[in-house]
Amino acid sequence: MFMTKEPENEKINNPRATVRLPMLLGITLAAGVLIGATFFGGGKSLNNIGRGYSKFKEVLQLIENNYVDSVNTEELVDYSISKMLEKLDPHTTYMNPQDAVAARTQLEGGFDGIGVEFNIYKDTVYVVTPMAGGPSEHAGILSGDKIIKVDNTEMTGSKLDNALVFKMLRGKKGTEVKLAILRKGEKKPLTFTVRRDRIPTYSVDASYMIDDKTGYIKVNRFSETTYDEFKKALALLKEQGMSQLLLDLRNNPGGYMDKATSLADEFISGDKLLVYTDGKDDRYDRQTKARIAGQFEDGPLIVLVDEGSASASEIVAGALQDHDRALIVGRRSFGKGLVQMPVTLSDGSELRLTISRYYTPSGRSIQKPYTAGHGEDYEKELEARSKNGEYYVADSIKNNEKYKFKTTGGRPVFGAGGITPDVFVPRDTMFMTKYLIQLFNKNIVREQAMEYANDHRKQLEKDGFASYKKSFVITDAMLKRLTDDATAQGIKFNEAEFKRSKKYIQTQLKAYIAQNVWRKSHRDGLNNEFFEMLSENDETYRKALTLFPQARNLERGSYTSQK
């Protein structure tokens, strides 16, 4: 969702993936603050609110005192609020205190815990890697360790899930947790006492040089630390000779508006408009303009987007597109252009109330159409794009001429439905099979990669990543071991589907092996080796690398549209 935290510090946030939009992965939510009663306005509206409140209170008291069965009135209140908000737009939402706390942590700069990346495999918690410099690494936890007990709670069995692992491993900084560990080569469990600490989270996934002039940066969300991470990454790439940049915002669901506009400001010169908002109450109407001398205001720039790019990501892409500063490549973005005010209620629950719309510099609202009270239709819009062929054929994107605008250089752009890319790249789904989905649901690919990395770590580290990237091959023997393991886990082998997915499985295995071996060398959270390996089978990435001449022409004002 696009959200404001304080009037002078606007923020954006994305749709609720797990509740509202299951097709969006890893959706994040912004932090809220207490807003006083004056937020709700004057006398007439207060009278209306008062009458409605009295009626609701009366009904609730009748249920509590007279209903035939015992009821949980708190659950009834939460349900009533949620149902009431369904009559509004799709992004006005309510969360109970527990969900509100969990959601806010997504965009904070870190959390308190023991600092491990874990994987659940065969109903067991495996340590993928202890985070560099974190409590677990200091305590001696190793990649491949099995966590079988946390304090007095067993961490095995069919009831094991991510929620339980988070509950047991996270906790207040300074508190201790006792782990029972099974380690390869040890006959008996080992016991470790780990003191929880603040674990930083990162939003820049990768930052590396593709060649001697082309840089690549991937941003997964816009959190508290995003702009600082991005500035550091950009500066380091420039030191390495970068003269053109590929910025990857695919599957970035949004986050804080001020971080998004600050990032855009690194590319846009002068005091050009970046975004503006407009609502019923003019207190929430404001303009955000470029204000600094950015690090990369000159040079070809390409931005990757797709249907998972929402909210703050669309702010960045829209500003750069409207000012003809970047070539937008990929597929049409999500289409989230509503602004929410987060209101923390007295019990810690949170209301996120839509208060305005935001517009790109050309005047576009990129909010896709919706009908109040018809949330199910809104949720199915991404599915409808797939059925209409939009993910596969550029001409399937149907922009409404009514919402046609022009960029600074006179190019046509469209609103009311996300950011339409300048160059369309279809989604590749040929590799997607039921067999592949089962492999990932059981975490078999990641587990096989971790086992191989642990068994061959010394040799791989000795050879170095450059050699690994150029020469390492996922052999048929390695794939046979994977499919045998899958069969043992109850996944019936399907030869035809395996052949369709084989290249993708090989790419994923090679990427995860690289991640297991080299990620710990990055103390700034970067996962460069993983994304470098994925890029070998990434059609959008590969296509974008051929488009820098067009990006250069766009920057010079001589761009000719190409599909």
Side-chain angles (χ1 to χ4, degrees):
M1 297 178 183
F2 179 173
M3 301 174 62
T4 61
K5 186 174 182 180
E6 299 177 8
E8 68 274 13
N9 185 23
E10 281 189 293
K11 296 189 175 178
I12 303 176
N13 202 13
N14 49 294
R16 288 189 301 171
T18 57
V19 180
R20 310 288 302 177
L21 296 165
M23 293 183 70
L24 284 180
L25 301 180
I27 292 297
T28 54
L29 294 166
V33 292
L34 180 63
I35 306 297
T38 55
F39 170 78
F40 294 102
K44 184 177 180 180
S45 61
L46 285 175
N47 289 335
N48 292 336
I49 291 171
R51 285 195 295 272
Y53 169 74
S54 296
K55 183 189 295 186
F56 180 77
K57 181 180 179 182
E58 183 178 3
V59 171
L60 199 63
Q61 286 178 331
L62 285 168
I63 293 172
E64 174 71 17
N65 296 331
N66 302 292
Y67 184 66
V68 62
D69 296 320
S70 297
V71 296
N72 186 322
T73 53
E74 186 173 346
E75 288 184 358
L76 285 179
V77 170
D78 285 353
Y79 179 78
S80 301
I81 294 172
S82 296
K83 296 301 289 185
M84 173 178 64
L85 298 182
E86 288 180 6
K87 294 294 184 181
L88 305 179
D89 68 275
H91 298 291
T92 291
T93 56
Y94 166 82
M95 287 178 290
N96 63 39
Q98 295 75 29
D99 290 343
V101 170
R104 284 194 292 268
T105 61
Q106 296 292 324
L107 289 183
E108 293 177 352
F111 59 90
D112 293 346
I114 69 168
V116 292
E117 182 181 347
F118 67 89
N119 186 31
I120 297 177
Y121 175 69
K122 297 180 182 178
D123 298 328
T124 302
V125 182
Y126 283 75
V127 175
V128 175
T129 183
M131 295 181 182
S136 291
E137 183 184 57
H138 290 311
I141 305 297
L142 301 178
S143 175
D145 283 349
K146 302 176 185 178
I147 303 177
I148 59 173
K149 183 182 288 188
V150 179
D151 291 331
N152 296 317
T153 301
E154 300 288 341
M155 300 299 287
T156 58
S158 59
K159 295 183 178 180
L160 181 67
D161 59 14
N162 287 337
L164 177 62
V165 179
F166 283 134
K167 178 182 177 182
M168 298 307 300
L169 298 186
R170 293 186 178 185
K172 188 176 180 181
K173 177 180 177 180
T175 59
E176 292 185 343
V177 59
K178 185 176 291 186
L179 306 181
I181 296 289
L182 280 180
R183 178 171 292 170
K184 188 175 181 179
E186 299 287 344
K187 295 182 179 180
K188 295 182 179 181
L190 306 175
T191 300
F192 293 86
T193 299
V194 183
R195 186 181 296 273
R196 296 183 178 96
D197 202 350
R198 190 66 176 173
I199 308 301
T201 56
Y202 300 97
S203 54
V204 173
D205 278 335
S207 173
Y208 60 85
M209 293 295 291
I210 300 172
D211 54 39
D212 59 0
K213 63 180 180 180
T214 309
Y216 172 82
I217 299 178
K218 180 172 180 59
V219 182
N220 64 49
R221 64 190 185 278
F222 289 92
S223 68
E224 288 180 349
T225 61
T226 299
Y227 181 48
D228 290 337
E229 292 177 55
F230 181 79
K231 282 195 301 181
K232 179 181 178 182
L234 193 61
L236 289 174
L237 292 182
K238 288 192 69 178
E239 288 178 6
Q240 296 174 62
M242 181 189 71
S243 59
Q244 56 189 32
L245 175 65
L246 185 59
L247 173 61
D248 195 343
L249 298 181
R250 289 175 296 175
N251 286 313
N252 181 323
Y256 291 161
M257 176 183 176
D258 60 339
K259 308 307 178 186
T261 53
S262 293
L263 188 150
D265 199 357
E266 291 291 335
F267 304 112
I268 296 176
S269 62
D271 62 349
K272 296 183 180 72
L273 183 64
L274 301 176
V275 68
Y276 68 93
T277 60
D278 183 47
K280 180 169 66 176
D281 190 324
D282 59 12
R283 286 181 295 173
Y284 310 117
D285 299 346
R286 57 187 48 84
Q287 296 183 345
T288 302
K289 295 184 177 182
R291 57 183 179 81
I292 64 169
Q295 295 184 70
F296 198 71
E297 292 182 351
D298 299 298
L301 174 63
I302 293 176
V303 177
L304 305 184
V305 299
D306 63 10
E307 57 281 355
S309 307
S311 195
S313 296
E314 294 172 297
I315 289 289
V316 174
L320 295 173
Q321 187 180 50
D322 281 3
H323 289 302
D324 299 301
R325 178 62 189 93
L327 189 70
I328 310 300
V329 176
R331 295 184 296 277
R332 182 163 64 99
S333 65
F334 179 82
K336 164 67 172 65
L338 298 175
V339 186
Q340 281 72 49
M341 171 74 79
V343 185
T344 302
L345 305 179
S346 58
D347 66 344
S349 58
E350 189 165 285
L351 171 67
R352 292 170 181 192
L353 184 67
T354 297
I355 57 171
S356 63
R357 291 177 173 83
Y358 75 80
Y359 298 83
T360 69
S362 67
R364 289 185 287 170
S365 168
I366 55 83
Q367 175 63 45
K368 61 187 177 184
Y370 66 89
T371 301
H374 292 267
E376 290 185 3
D377 294 339
Y378 188 81
E379 292 169 7
K380 294 178 180 178
E381 192 270 341
L382 293 182
E383 182 181 344
R385 293 190 197 183
S386 179
K387 291 180 179 179
N388 294 336
E390 181 178 321
Y391 295 151
Y392 316 105
V393 181
D395 291 341
S396 297
I397 303 175
K398 304 300 182 184
N399 287 310
N400 191 333
E401 290 290 322
K402 178 181 177 181
Y403 302 106
K404 184 176 181 179
F405 297 81
K406 288 189 175 181
T407 68
T408 302
R411 295 186 301 135
V413 288
F414 294 88
I419 303 295
T420 299
D422 301 310
V423 179
F424 174 82
V425 182
R427 178 193 280 180
D428 179 12
T429 58
M430 288 299 295
F431 64 85
M432 188 59 66
T433 62
K434 290 183 179 179
Y435 185 72
L436 178 68
I437 293 171
Q438 289 178 303
L439 292 180
F440 277 91
N441 283 345
K442 291 279 190 177
N443 284 322
I444 288 173
V445 175
R446 289 191 68 179
E447 180 62 24
Q448 288 291 315
M450 184 179 70
E451 288 185 5
Y452 187 91
N454 288 339
D455 290 343
H456 301 84
R457 185 179 302 277
K458 289 184 179 180
Q459 185 61 49
L460 291 170
E461 289 177 341
K462 180 181 178 182
D463 293 343
F465 176 69
S467 174
Y468 175 85
K469 180 180 179 180
K470 180 180 179 180
S471 306
F472 186 83
V473 176
I474 301 296
T475 65
D476 287 341
M478 295 172 67
L479 293 175
K480 180 65 164 56
R481 181 179 178 183
L482 182 148
T483 55
D484 287 347
D485 187 22
T487 301
Q489 293 298 308
I491 301 175
K492 185 178 180 179
F493 181 69
N494 185 310
E495 185 174 2
E497 292 187 358
F498 173 75
K499 287 181 177 178
R500 276 181 58 190
S501 301
K502 181 178 178 180
K503 184 178 179 181
Y504 183 81
I505 293 170
Q506 289 174 313
T507 300
Q508 292 287 314
L509 270 174
K510 190 172 181 179
Y512 279 118
I513 291 171
Q515 175 179 273
N516 276 278
V517 174
W518 285 286
R519 188 174 186 180
K520 280 183 65 178
S521 64
H522 300 289
R523 293 188 175 269
D524 49 7
L526 295 177
N527 200 3
N528 288 346
E529 293 78 14
F530 177 78
F531 284 98
E532 283 197 60
M533 291 299 92
L534 289 186
S535 70
E536 295 184 352
N537 199 32
D538 184 341
E539 291 301 320
T540 304
Y541 179 102
R542 309 311 300 179
K543 175 66 174 178
L545 292 182
T546 70
L547 297 173
F548 277 106
Q550 288 94 305
R552 185 174 294 105
N553 288 338
L554 175 65
E555 184 188 21
R556 294 170 178 173
S558 57
Y559 176 73
T560 301
S561 178
Q562 297 186 20
K563 297 294 183 184

